[in-house]
Amino acid sequence: MLGSAEAAARERVTSVLREEADEISDRWVQLQLAQPSLDGEVSEAELGEEADALVGALLTGLDLGIPVERVVTSHEEMHRTVSEISLRRARRGVSPTATSLAVLSLKEALLEAVQRRTRDGDDLFRSAVLINRLLDSAGALSFETFVEGREEIISRQSQQLLEVSTPVVRLWRQVLAVPLIGTLDTARTQVVMENVLQAIQEHEALVAIIDITGVPTVDTAVAQHLMHTVNAVRLMGADCVISGIRPPIAQTIAQLGIDLSTILTRATLADALREAVKLTEAAGSDHAPLDGR
């Protein structure tokens, strides 16, 4: 008996979606526009496109006979539509709560449409239960997708910031410099290494200067990161000079017992540049300045 009642509720909801798709979509758009949390981030036209796509996917999923709890997760079109809505809003800075509430507000639009078809309390109750089971999973998926999308955006932005904060500057023909500012950790060292090696290949550089004047402290971990970078530069056939060894840093390195004896170091960037020019001269390279003088 319960199975028959559920089947009837499913058929009722499916019939309403099929016959009143446009009305449900329009009502859902209006409900979303009434939510202050959207704050104009999504236009009415975009909401209309999303509504048409989601209502259509919902109808297709129900028509396929997929169990209600799995329509959102198992039906590819439905899953893709909910995910795209969430990712689009994540990129525009809409909060995950607002996105989930927007998806869940489809419940109200759909239940209003069912209510126009029947006044029977039991039928309305079973339809409401089915709609909740159907769209709660859509709300959960939208929240999950939103969070994953934001994490991806944050990760990409962090990577871009790392790349911007570790520029490789061409000081002289075949002489490059990397001015470092701030903490030097594993992730940033990897970016430094990749940028330097790429620049050495592009400019056929013979010397790379790593300037740590802006690095506040040098501990064992930072020293190891520098050693890895220097070794990688040498494997490319270039020399490496570390500049910016201030008295406090020199004292810290000595106290920690860090051995930088195999690395050419200088106190200032100017000193390092002079040393780089000598190295390029020794290699018989053309070391004229960039303007050709």
Side-chain angles (χ1 to χ4, degrees):
M1 184 68 177
L2 183 60
S4 176
E6 287 185 351
R10 180 175 182 136
E11 177 57 35
R12 187 179 304 110
V13 171
T14 303
S15 176
V16 167
L17 280 169
R18 183 179 297 109
E19 297 175 16
E20 298 190 29
D22 291 341
E23 291 82 355
I24 293 170
S25 295
D26 292 342
R27 176 57 177 157
W28 186 33
V29 169
Q30 295 307 312
L31 289 171
Q32 291 181 84
L33 289 173
Q35 294 179 6
S37 51
L38 281 180
D39 196 27
E41 294 293 339
V42 186
S43 69
E44 184 171 354
E46 290 173 315
L47 290 175
E49 293 176 1
E50 292 177 352
D52 291 341
L54 188 55
V55 170
L58 193 60
L59 175 59
T60 304
L62 288 173
D63 275 338
L64 291 174
I66 301 172
V68 171
E69 294 82 358
R70 292 170 47 201
V71 168
V72 174
T73 57
S74 299
H75 182 39
E76 182 180 351
E77 181 184 357
M78 184 69 179
H79 190 284
R80 183 180 64 254
T81 302
V82 173
S83 298
E84 287 176 351
I85 290 174
S86 299
L87 288 174
R88 189 178 303 117
R89 298 187 185 198
R91 297 187 183 102
R92 297 188 180 187
V94 181
S95 72
T97 300
T99 300
S100 295
L101 289 176
V103 173
L104 293 175
S105 65
L106 179 56
K107 289 182 182 181
E108 184 176 346
L110 186 51
L111 192 55
E112 287 176 358
V114 172
Q115 194 172 16
R116 289 194 293 269
R117 295 295 191 91
T118 179
R119 296 292 178 178
D120 184 83
D122 290 340
D123 289 345
L124 284 174
F125 174 76
R126 294 190 184 96
S127 297
V129 170
L130 185 141
I131 291 171
N132 280 327
R133 288 163 56 196
L134 183 64
L135 293 178
D136 281 349
S137 57
L141 175 61
S142 70
F143 190 91
E144 178 183 348
T145 305
F146 186 103
V147 172
E148 291 176 352
R150 289 295 293 175
E151 289 177 349
E152 179 185 344
I153 292 170
I154 292 171
S155 176
R156 185 168 61 250
Q157 290 174 339
S158 297
Q159 182 65 23
Q160 291 170 347
L161 285 174
L162 279 176
E163 293 174 355
V164 170
S165 65
T166 55
V168 179
V169 182
R170 188 184 179 200
L171 295 182
W172 206 266
R173 288 182 179 176
Q174 298 181 301
V175 177
L176 305 174
V178 186
L180 298 179
I181 299 175
T183 304
L184 189 63
D185 56 16
T186 303
R188 194 174 180 203
T189 302
Q190 184 63 33
V191 174
V192 170
M193 189 183 301
E194 292 174 357
N195 290 351
V196 170
L197 298 182
Q198 183 65 33
I200 288 174
Q201 182 179 36
E202 291 178 358
H203 300 290
E204 298 181 350
L206 294 177
V207 182
I209 301 172
I210 299 177
D211 184 70
I212 62 172
T213 303
V215 177
T217 59
V218 174
D219 55 18
T220 304
V222 172
Q224 288 296 325
H225 294 325
L226 292 174
M227 289 292 293
H228 291 324
T229 303
V230 170
N231 290 336
V233 169
R234 287 172 175 169
L235 287 174
M236 292 286 292
D239 288 309
C240 193
V241 182
I242 295 180
S243 63
I245 306 294
R246 306 183 305 279
I249 289 182
Q251 185 176 2
T252 301
I253 291 174
Q255 290 174 346
L256 292 174
I258 300 172
D259 183 14
L260 297 182
S261 60
T262 60
I263 302 176
L264 185 59
T265 62
R266 289 294 181 268
T268 67
L269 181 58
D271 292 338
L273 179 56
R274 279 193 291 270
E275 190 62 36
V277 172
K278 292 178 183 178
L279 291 172
T280 57
E281 287 177 342
S285 63
D286 180 7
H287 57 275
L290 293 179
D291 59 6
R293 294 181 296 177

